[in-house]
Amino acid sequence: SQTIHQWPATLVQPVGSPLSLECTVEGTSNPNLYWYRQAAGRGLQLLFYSVGIGQISSEVPQNLSASRPQDRQFILSSKKLLLSDSGFYLCAWISGSYNSPLHFGNGTRLTVT
Amino acid sequence: AQSVTQLDSQVPVFEEAPVELRCNYSSSVSVYLFWYVQYPNQGLQLLLKYLSGSTLVKGINGFEAEFNKSQTSFHLRKPSVHISDTAEYFCAASLKAAGNKLTFGGGTRVLVKP
């Protein structure tokens, strides 16, 4: 069966420090991968998506970047965190069919202090 | 561009009462519609989806939703809620041409009271 792993579950980082959040998917190949952010009291905002290794599309300009070094690995990074980067980050995957639902990881709660 | 609007940010409801969560979308082409549930500090789980066919869609945990093309709505309902239904609910839409990119509504927080 397919599973998605996202870590860490919680993270507290000071302003200006780097960030690396990792997401891996098991039990499927060539998934579409997504990073969403959920800020307090707000809906989900799509940050990045990837349809294949090395292929990254950014939805909004921001302080973050994403990479896909392997087929089932998706990494969210920042060189210098801002206070506004605080939020709940969710990784998700889809099989590639346009009418398939997204499968979400359990999320990472990031607090930038 | 498509957008998804959830009209209620919070819905308090008593246990065993019915609940309806409203969702409207804007798109000039066919869309695929989804409802997700998020329990505290967890990811999202799929409740149900509408792709085509019958406009009444049944999902898990006793939820159902009705697709109304003329009103561009996809409201979620449950006839009798439980305490365990306390969560945040998200409506989402995707377009075939949008590369599987879901657009989410702002979410509706349901608080079930005993």
Side-chain angles (χ1 to χ4, degrees):
Chain A
S1 62
Q2 301 98 344
T3 57
I4 179 169
H5 302 281
Q6 191 179 338
W7 68 92
T10 60
L11 190 60
V12 180
Q13 293 284 95
V15 168
S17 63
L19 173 74
S20 180
L21 303 182
E22 190 161 344
C23 172
T24 59
V25 180
E26 296 178 359
T28 187
S29 60
N30 196 30
N32 287 1
L33 297 170
Y34 304 81
W35 278 110
Y36 282 87
R37 178 170 58 199
Q38 187 177 20
R42 301 175 66 178
L44 281 82
Q45 180 185 37
L46 178 61
L47 302 176
F48 301 96
Y49 72 97
S50 171
V51 298
I53 295 175
Q55 301 178 59
I56 308 295
S57 296
S58 175
E59 288 296 293
V60 293
Q62 58 205 319
N63 184 43
L64 302 168
S65 62
S67 61
R68 186 171 177 174
Q70 301 179 44
D71 180 46
R72 289 169 289 177
Q73 184 184 29
F74 204 26
I75 298 172
L76 183 69
S77 305
S78 174
K79 293 182 179 179
K80 288 186 178 182
L81 283 169
L82 305 172
L83 286 174
S84 57
D85 292 325
S86 293
F88 192 50
Y89 289 81
L90 290 161
C91 180
W93 71 273
I94 201 169
S95 67
S97 173
Y98 58 82
N99 58 9
S100 298
L102 282 174
H103 302 276
F104 285 85
N106 283 330
T108 296
R109 172 83 51 198
L110 172 65
T111 303
V112 182
T113 60
Chain B
Q2 63 175 353
S3 66
V4 178
T5 303
Q6 290 181 244
L7 299 170
D8 307 297
S9 59
Q10 292 189 60
V11 174
V13 58
F14 286 105
E15 192 174 18
E16 297 184 7
V19 70
E20 178 180 81
L21 308 183
R22 296 179 291 171
C23 173
N24 288 89
Y25 65 92
S26 65
S27 175
S28 59
V29 297
S30 296
V31 296
Y32 303 96
L33 298 161
F34 306 82
W35 273 99
Y36 287 84
V37 60
Q38 183 182 32
Y39 299 103
N41 294 313
Q42 294 186 26
L44 279 69
Q45 301 173 29
L46 181 69
L47 274 179
L48 50 80
K49 60 182 179 181
Y50 172 78
L51 305 179
S52 63
S54 173
T55 56
L56 184 62
V57 180
K58 294 190 182 296
I60 62 171
N61 301 340
F63 284 93
E64 63 181 30
E66 186 159 16
F67 171 63
N68 188 318
K69 187 175 182 179
S70 62
Q71 298 185 9
T72 61
S73 68
F74 191 53
H75 300 335
L76 180 71
R77 303 185 184 95
K78 184 170 182 176
S80 176
V81 296
H82 302 291
I83 294 290
S84 59
D85 292 321
T86 294
E88 189 152 20
Y89 293 80
F90 291 93
C91 182
S94 71
L95 298 176
K96 179 178 180 180
N100 297 120
K101 292 184 291 180
L102 278 183
T103 299
F104 283 87
T108 299
R109 191 172 299 277
V110 173
L111 176 59
V112 181
K113 303 176 180 180

